[in-house]
Structure formats: structure tokens, C-alpha cells
Amino acid sequence: MSATVFAENPEARELHETGLWAAQNGSFSRAHRLFSSAQEFLVGDTLGIAVQSARIARDDGFTYVRSAIAESNLGDLDKADNALEVASGKTFVKILSAGELPKVDQAYRELAAEHGATISLIGRLSTVRLVMAGPDREEPIEDVYSAAHSALVIGNNGYYRVSNAMVAARHERLFGRPDVMVRWLSKAAVGWSWTLLHDPSNLEATTRTATSRTRHLRNRTTAIESVKSKP
């Protein structure tokens, strides 16, 4: 959502953006082909390549979430899970190898933001799975959103931070924990204030997503509907 501190491969970026547009407009197979083609341009093991590759893998994975909802295909949720695990692995390995970097370093902060955004999508995938197929008792989903938040508060992207807090609040609305929902809304408000001061280029998008997702919290029914329409 904001300018990257890493150099990006322009061909991969163009294919990625086109694939994302295709995914958002229901052309799921075309989106996967475009994401795959984008990855072919990313050769090497630099931090910048890892981050760009992780972004593409993340959107490829979430495209399976979109198709699972559109086509009522639970099998696509398993594909999404696999793809998002690959994406998170790309950034997690780099976080480990960059451990000597100070956490105020812009490269480290962007890496943390991208990792947190991927973990947040894993949470959103799990929320979708709960709505479509029922509870999965293996891992509490709120822990996934909390893990994402921990990375995002280190990161440099206010949009990711607020978006994660809002979908976590929705999850709590779904499962009847209004007190926890309110705590996540407080985190979203703090994130919005941080964005205003430190990431103003993302402020408009951050405000838009916070406003639209607040409407999803009116009651459990609107929360369920929003999982299907805006996962």
C-alpha cells in the first residue's frame, strides 16, 4: 500500500498488479497464471526479492480464498493455506537472518510489515473456514491475529496494521466476545493515529478500510455476510 524501501522488479510488479486486479474481479485462474509468471522474474536471494516474492505468493494464496467463497469450494481453502504458509516462510526466514538489524531500520520494519500482513491473511483464511465449514480446534484464531499485530506494530505500514485489527474485531463479533472486539477496535484507533503521524501516504486507504469494516460489526449477521463479501 505504500512505497517500498526495496527495489522491485518492474516486470514482476506489473504482472502482480494485473493478477491482483483479475483476482478481485473473479478471474481466478488468470490471476494464478499471472502470479506464477511474475515469480519467474524474481531470481536471487536478496531481501528485496524475498519481500516482493512473498507479496505475490500472499496474493496468490488469498485468491484461493476468494475462489473458495465464490465457488463454495472448501478444497481451495487448503490450497490457500499452503500458499500463505509459503509466503510467510519467505519473510520469516529473512527476519531470522536479519536479526542483527536494529528494529528501527526501515528495511527491517518493512520486512516485519509484510510478514505481519501475511500472518493476518492466515487469520482471515481461518475465519472464512470457520464460517464455511465450522470450528477448527487446532489453533485459536485470535492468536494468529495477535501474532500479526505484534509484527505490524514493528512494521512501517499503517494500512496493514489497522486492517488486521478490524478483521480481528470482526472475528470476535462473530463468536460473541464483544469485550475482546472493543480491545481490537482500540488497537485499530491507535494504529490510525500512528498512520496519521508516520504513514500519511496510507491514511486515506486506512480510513476507508476502517470505516467500511466498522459497518461489518453491527451484529453477527452483518459480520458473517462481510466474511463472504469482503473476506
Side-chain angles (χ1 to χ4, degrees), residues 32-48:
H32 290 305
R33 290 194 299 271
L34 288 163
F35 293 142
S36 179
S37 296
Q39 294 282 20
E40 293 176 3
F41 284 94
L42 302 177
V43 180
D45 193 38
T46 67
L47 192 53

Side-chain angles (χ1 to χ4, degrees), residues 80-171:
D81 195 21
N82 292 335
L84 290 171
E85 287 294 338
V86 168
S88 66
K90 290 175 183 290
T91 47
F92 183 66
V93 167
K94 289 301 181 181
I95 285 174
L96 291 178
S97 63
E100 70 277 5
L101 287 174
K103 289 183 172 53
V104 294
D105 180 271
Q106 284 300 312
Y108 187 92
R109 294 181 66 211
E110 181 166 339
L111 179 59
E114 295 300 330
H115 185 65
T118 302
I119 299 302
S120 182
L121 287 193
I122 292 173
R124 288 162 67 179
L125 159 63
S126 298
T127 298
V128 170
R129 190 187 296 276
L130 281 170
V131 169
M132 291 183 67
D136 178 350
R137 300 181 185 277
E138 292 184 4
E139 182 175 15
I141 295 174
E142 55 268 24
D143 290 352
V144 179
Y145 288 123
S146 293
H149 182 74
S150 295
L152 291 168
V153 295
I154 297 171
N156 63 354
N157 191 301
Y159 175 85
Y160 291 163
R161 178 174 172 175
V162 172
S163 180
N164 177 69
M166 294 303 300
V167 292
R170 176 180 64 184
H171 181 81

